[in-house]
């Protein structure tokens, strides 16, 4: 191909808004992916990285990337970040300065991506989206349960690989609680396929976009992530992203397709659970340890999660060739397992799990605020076929306090003092979330004025400090006469 091979890699892991959690993966994603794509033995792309940029810089970089292109250019745009949507179901990609209440001006609209790619003259555009998706629709149309990123972004001369379908989370690496960054599972699968050459499915020494998808799909299905990548393409010809690092010689045999040992049931990760929890302002400020009852699924004790009776025969599903999928949906014949059980377990009917109610102990950290979610890893239901457990997310709903009001990180309250105390000044006892504290009232204070007490406000969720306690003093008029 005589055109230019350019790649723009955009990653956002740090967010100014406390409502968007920090991601460890994106910075590692762009560094590793740029190294592979830029390798002359593999991708020979010219790469540009944009990390933790505000929305206006990201949108400008995207517009410049697609401008003044020739029809023979091959363009790769990789975006790793939070995926969010507005009330109309329209998709946005979060930037460093994204505010969830101002998506139109502080995030990257999917409609903007669609417009820029549509205007571009290049006939080969590859979009790699590593983020969470919900239902999305064409710009200006109402969201539907049956439409997704393809309908908002697909078009002639482009191919799209997404980390998930429209309802799933895009998972980072396994070390959730550690600080060391590592590539996300989706981007790791892309890097692995290109760097090792395993994505070259037909053994011709080149990696086509469709081959890369097949590799990513299989690698994620074999992992513990409940994450199903998706692929759409409308290209005029087959597009090759890379060469294998060690090109095959003409006399070498074509390598065999990877084989799967059959029969092998595909255990799947359990569903995540989202539980909305009413929490008092005091418990949000000080943290809370409590228990709750959850309806969940546990491993069947009779078959130990296998779903089979003792004498059952397990066969490969011929309808889906063992992949468990029929297009975007689970195969109806094997319900997504890839195998058929002729004699299922009588207790769990072949599901490998049974329903139960159990008690979960949880701890809410200090300083979380209304709408924030806390993840409890592997506390959700066990997956079908004995798969790993999903996660439980607790989304807190802040209950109003009778005495204190939170405004950002400051706590506000009002007290009434006698006229003599207001005139001369003095000390009053005030019951706070931290116990009774003595508050100094300056002499001559007027009714409606505020006394600031440093360090007794609402704590930062990262433990870096606390806001202030703002005490408004009222002196009843009758006392002033």
């Amino acid at each position: 191909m005589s055109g230019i091979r350019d790649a723009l890699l955009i990653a956002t892991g740090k967010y100014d808004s406390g409502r968007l959690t920090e991601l460890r993966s994106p910075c590692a994603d762009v560094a590793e992916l740029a190294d592979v794509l830029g390798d002359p033995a593999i991708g020979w792309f010219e790469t540009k990285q944009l990390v933790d940029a505000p929305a206006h810089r990201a949108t400008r970089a995207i517009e410049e990337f697609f401008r003044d292109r020739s029809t023979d250019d091959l363009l790769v745009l990789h975006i790793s970040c939070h995926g969010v949507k507005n009330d109309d179901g329209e998709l946005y990609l979060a930037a460093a300065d994204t505010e969830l209440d101002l998506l139109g001006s502080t995030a990257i609209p999917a409609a903007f991506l669609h417009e820029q790619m549509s205007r571009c003259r290049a006939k080969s555009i590859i979009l790699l989206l590593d983020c969470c998706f919900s239902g999305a629709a064409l710009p200006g149309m109402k969201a539907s349960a049956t439409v997704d990123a393809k309908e908002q972004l697909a078009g002639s001369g482009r191919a799209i690989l997404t980390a998930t379908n429209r309802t799933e989370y895009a998972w980072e690496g396994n070390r959730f609680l550690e600080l060391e960054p590592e590539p996300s599972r989706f981007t790791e699968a892309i890097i692995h396929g290109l760097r090792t050459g395993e994505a070259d499915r037909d053994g011709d020494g080149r990696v086509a976009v469709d081959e890369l998808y097949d590799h990513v799909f299989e690698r994620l299905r074999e992992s513990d992530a409940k994450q199903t990548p998706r692929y759409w393409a409308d290209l005029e010809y087959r597009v090759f992203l890379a060469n294998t690092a060690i090109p095959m010689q003409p006399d070498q045999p074509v390598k065999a397709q990877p084989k799967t040992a059959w029969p092998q049931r595909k255990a799947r990760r359990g569903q995540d659970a989202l539980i909305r929890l009413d929490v008092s302002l005091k418990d949000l400020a000080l943290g809370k340890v409590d228990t709750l009852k959850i309806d969940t699924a546990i491993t069947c004790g009779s078959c130990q999660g296998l779903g089979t009776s003792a004498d059952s025969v397990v066969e490969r599903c011929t309808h889906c060739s063992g992949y468990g999928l029929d297009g975007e949906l689970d195969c109806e014949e094997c319900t997504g397992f890839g195998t058929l059980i002729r004699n299922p377990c009588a207790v769990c009917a072949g599901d490998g799990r049974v329903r139960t109610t159990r008690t979960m102990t949880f701890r809410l950290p200090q300083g979380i605020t209304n709408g924030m979610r806390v993840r409890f890893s592997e506390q959700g239901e066990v997956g079908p076929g004995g798969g790993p457990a999903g996660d439980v997310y607790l989304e807190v709903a802040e209950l109003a306090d009778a005495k204190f009001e939170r405004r950002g990180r400051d706590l506000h309250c009002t007290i009434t003092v006698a006229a003599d105390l207001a005139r001369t000044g003095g000390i009053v006892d005030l019951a706070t979330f931290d116990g009774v504290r003595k508050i100094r009232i300056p002499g001559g204070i007027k009714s409606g004025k505020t006394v600031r007490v440093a360090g007794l406000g609402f704590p930062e969720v990262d433990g870096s400090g606390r806001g202030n306690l703002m005490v408004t003093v009222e002196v009843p008029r009758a006392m002033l006469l």
Side-chain angles (χ1 to χ4, degrees):
M1 182 180 292
S2 59
I4 295 173
R5 298 170 66 88
D6 273 349
L8 174 61
L9 313 178
I10 298 177
T12 309
K14 296 181 179 179
Y15 300 89
D16 299 337
S17 170
R19 298 169 64 185
L20 289 170
T21 57
E22 182 173 336
L23 299 174
R24 295 175 296 111
S25 298
C27 289
D29 290 346
V30 296
E32 289 290 325
L33 189 56
D35 182 62
V36 172
L37 291 177
D39 190 332
I42 302 176
W44 73 93
F45 278 88
E46 290 290 334
T47 64
K48 178 181 179 181
Q49 303 176 34
L50 188 65
V51 178
D52 294 335
H56 72 274
R57 283 188 58 203
T59 52
R60 177 169 183 150
I62 292 170
E63 185 169 8
E64 290 177 344
F65 181 67
F66 288 118
R67 286 185 70 247
D68 299 327
R69 294 297 184 175
S70 73
T71 57
D72 291 334
D73 290 348
L74 172 56
L75 307 178
V76 173
L77 174 60
H78 172 274
I79 302 179
S80 178
C81 63
H82 278 297
V84 295
K85 63 176 183 176
N86 63 12
D87 293 338
D88 295 323
E90 295 168 331
L91 178 66
Y92 290 81
L93 306 177
D97 61 340
T98 292
E99 297 182 28
L100 296 182
D101 296 329
L102 299 170
L103 291 176
S105 57
T106 64
I108 307 169
F112 172 78
L113 287 179
H114 172 79
E115 179 184 4
Q116 298 307 312
M117 290 189 292
S118 297
R119 290 180 174 179
C120 183
R121 296 180 64 239
K123 294 182 179 179
S124 301
I125 299 174
I126 311 302
L127 177 63
L128 308 174
L129 290 180
D130 193 351
C131 53
C132 304
F133 285 95
S134 297
L138 286 165
M141 296 182 64
K142 197 170 183 61
S144 163
T146 60
V147 294
D148 50 27
K150 173 206 171 183
E151 296 183 346
Q152 191 157 340
L153 296 173
S156 178
R158 71 193 69 158
I160 303 170
L161 278 74
T162 66
T164 69
N165 65 21
R166 60 183 175 271
T167 61
E168 294 172 338
Y169 290 103
W171 295 97
E172 297 193 90
N174 293 320
R175 300 193 300 270
F176 180 79
L177 296 178
E178 298 183 14
L179 297 178
E180 181 183 352
E182 59 178 328
S184 75
R185 298 185 180 185
F186 173 71
T187 301
E188 184 277 334
I190 293 175
I191 294 169
H192 177 270
L194 297 178
R195 191 185 296 279
T196 64
E198 291 186 18
D200 177 16
R201 315 293 283 186
D202 59 10
D204 66 352
R206 298 180 296 175
V207 178
V209 179
D210 57 305
E211 290 180 306
L212 180 62
Y213 167 72
D214 288 340
H215 175 80
V216 171
F217 178 87
E218 289 189 5
R219 193 165 176 85
L220 288 184
R221 290 284 284 188
E222 291 170 358
S223 74
D224 294 338
K226 186 176 180 60
Q227 180 174 335
T228 309
R230 290 290 182 250
Y231 172 62
W232 302 273
D234 187 3
L235 298 166
E236 294 188 7
Y237 40 78
R238 199 176 192 203
V239 174
F240 295 93
L241 276 177
N243 287 332
T244 55
I246 304 176
M248 297 180 61
Q249 300 301 318
D251 58 344
Q252 285 184 294
V254 175
K255 66 182 180 182
Q257 292 290 327
K259 296 182 179 180
T260 305
W262 298 101
Q264 177 182 349
R265 199 173 194 215
K266 294 180 180 295
R268 292 178 291 171
R269 185 177 179 274
Q271 286 277 4
D272 296 327
L274 175 62
I275 301 173
R276 291 178 174 84
L277 192 68
D278 291 337
V279 184
S280 69
L281 183 61
K282 180 179 180 179
D283 286 338
L284 292 177
L286 302 182
K288 177 182 182 180
V289 177
D290 205 344
T291 61
L292 56 82
K293 298 285 187 181
I294 58 173
D295 178 66
T296 189
I298 61 174
T299 301
C300 174
S302 178
C303 66
Q304 301 301 311
L306 297 177
T308 62
S309 61
D311 58 348
S312 178
V313 176
V314 180
E315 301 174 353
R316 175 179 179 176
C317 177
T318 57
H319 183 75
C320 65
S321 300
Y323 285 103
L325 287 178
D326 185 2
E328 289 191 26
L329 305 177
D330 284 342
C331 172
E332 293 184 359
E333 294 294 323
C334 65
T335 63
F337 285 110
T339 55
L340 299 173
I341 301 174
R342 295 307 178 191
N343 299 301
C345 171
V347 176
C348 65
D351 192 50
R353 56 186 185 164
V354 292
R355 305 298 302 183
T356 190
T357 299
R358 69 174 181 85
T359 300
M360 186 186 88
T361 300
F362 65 90
R363 183 183 70 84
L364 298 179
Q366 295 182 357
I368 60 175
T369 57
N370 188 57
M372 284 188 176
R373 295 178 181 179
V374 182
R375 174 190 173 195
F376 296 89
S377 180
E378 298 182 356
Q379 293 294 306
E381 64 177 34
V382 170
D391 300 331
V392 171
Y393 288 81
L394 295 186
E395 182 178 289
V396 300
E398 180 181 308
L399 296 177
D401 189 85
K403 185 173 184 179
F404 295 96
E405 177 186 357
R406 180 180 64 84
R407 301 177 192 172
R409 292 292 163 178
D410 292 336
L411 290 175
H412 290 252
C413 70
T414 300
I415 62 173
T416 300
V417 300
D420 289 343
L421 180 60
R423 183 170 53 254
T424 62
I427 303 296
V428 298
D429 289 334
L430 177 63
T432 72
F433 291 159
D434 299 274
V436 176
R437 293 290 186 267
K438 295 187 179 298
I439 308 299
R440 181 178 299 277
I441 306 298
I445 192 170
K446 302 296 183 181
S447 185
K449 295 297 183 181
T450 298
V451 175
R452 181 177 69 88
V453 183
L456 282 184
F458 206 79
E460 295 287 347
V461 72
D462 60 2
S464 60
R466 297 180 64 170
N468 302 312
L469 175 62
M470 310 298 290
V471 182
T472 299
V473 176
E474 284 190 353
V475 183
R477 183 174 298 275
M479 293 183 179
L480 297 174
L481 298 178

